[in-house]
Amino acid sequence: MRAVSSFKTPGPATGIRFAFGTLTVLPVQVTRWDRDAARAGMLCAPLAGLVVGLCAAAAGGALLLLGAGPLLAALASAAVPAVLTRGLHLDGLADTADGLGSGKPAEDALRIMKQSDIGPFGVITLVFVLLTQVAAAYELYGSGGWARGAVAVALAAVVARLALTLASRTGVPAARPDGLGATVASTVSPAAAATATLLTLAACAGAGALFGPYAAARHALAAVAALVAAHLLLRHCVRRFGGVTGDVFGAVAETAATTALVALTLG
């Protein structure tokens, strides 16, 4: 529910409400809907990702502890983030794929992305991304046990939302004058984005350190790889559409999450 915004500097609570209210289905009321609140909210996006990731990891770990195999655990870990976001990021991924795959000028591509149906490019992209996520989580649960799998799933969710923070940084324009993309585009300063990145990477390394020094470096590098992949997609979308939209944000998040999971299966 959107409330009339005030012009006071938003506090941490406002940012948390904005992040959870826009990026999850959790019953959190968004008390402000303006660019200052959006800035605070996008800086809190990794925190929302942590909650989503912990829920996904808990679902996978619970199934393993109950005697299910790693495939069911992987399916649950992929399904929970979709449920907790109403599938908005996956929908954005599909719409972005349709827009990019259309080969049409930016205005026409944006119109295609705004349609309610999903075209062939979107369907194919969704299938392969979800299969990749499940396959990577299956391998992580199967070879590393529930703890390594759970940490990987949580890390992927956090880094996916950090990618949204970076996509909101100054200099990245909005492709449309309205919508979530226009609200959050260019709200996060480079310094704030860099700080959020360093803190998140440190947290990823710390989580990996539970399994040894090499794992700490591997988890941090997986997060970096995810952010690089997300940045490449973001740059292509900005060049192709003239800026970002809510759909592009969803595509960036899913790209980062998938890349992180795949990277953690390597080495």
Side-chain angles (χ1 to χ4, degrees):
M1 176 179 177
R2 299 181 184 179
V4 177
S5 63
S6 91
F7 293 96
K8 295 180 180 179
T9 301
T14 298
I16 291 172
R17 289 192 188 98
F18 190 97
F20 280 87
T22 58
L23 300 178
T24 75
V25 298
L26 298 177
V28 178
Q29 183 183 25
V30 179
T31 55
R32 286 180 56 172
W33 190 269
D34 55 62
R35 290 180 63 77
D36 286 337
R39 179 185 303 110
M42 297 317 291
L43 287 172
C44 293
L47 180 59
L50 177 61
V51 172
V52 171
L54 290 176
C55 290
L63 283 172
L64 288 177
L65 292 175
L66 290 172
L71 180 56
L72 279 178
L75 283 169
S77 293
V80 167
V83 172
L84 291 181
T85 59
R86 291 194 186 96
L88 288 178
H89 293 165
L90 291 170
D91 180 67
L93 173 68
D95 288 341
T96 301
D98 282 333
L100 292 174
S102 69
K104 295 184 179 296
E107 185 177 347
D108 293 332
L110 288 170
R111 189 178 303 114
I112 290 172
M113 292 165 62
K114 204 167 185 178
Q115 294 174 355
S116 59
D117 60 331
I118 298 178
F121 289 107
V123 172
I124 292 170
T125 300
L126 275 181
V127 169
F128 279 102
V129 166
L130 287 172
L131 282 176
T132 301
Q133 290 179 0
V134 172
Y138 167 75
E139 184 172 341
L140 290 163
Y141 278 122
S143 62
W146 74 268
R148 290 179 184 271
V151 168
V153 167
L155 180 149
V158 171
V159 175
R161 276 66 181 182
L162 174 62
L164 300 183
T165 303
L166 299 182
S168 305
R169 68 186 181 277
T170 304
V172 180
R176 297 191 184 103
D178 54 4
L180 178 63
T183 302
V184 304
S186 294
T187 57
V188 178
S189 69
T195 300
T197 300
L198 290 175
L199 290 174
T200 304
L201 291 179
C204 291
L210 296 173
F211 311 109
Y214 171 72
R218 194 158 67 91
H219 282 66
L221 289 174
V224 170
L227 295 177
V228 169
H231 172 72
L232 292 175
L233 175 62
L234 176 68
R235 187 172 65 177
H236 181 59
C237 289
V238 170
R239 186 167 56 243
R240 182 72 173 76
F241 305 134
V244 294
T245 67
D247 287 332
V248 171
F249 274 90
V252 164
E254 291 296 335
T255 298
T258 305
T259 303
L261 288 173
V262 171
L264 286 171
T265 67
L266 307 176

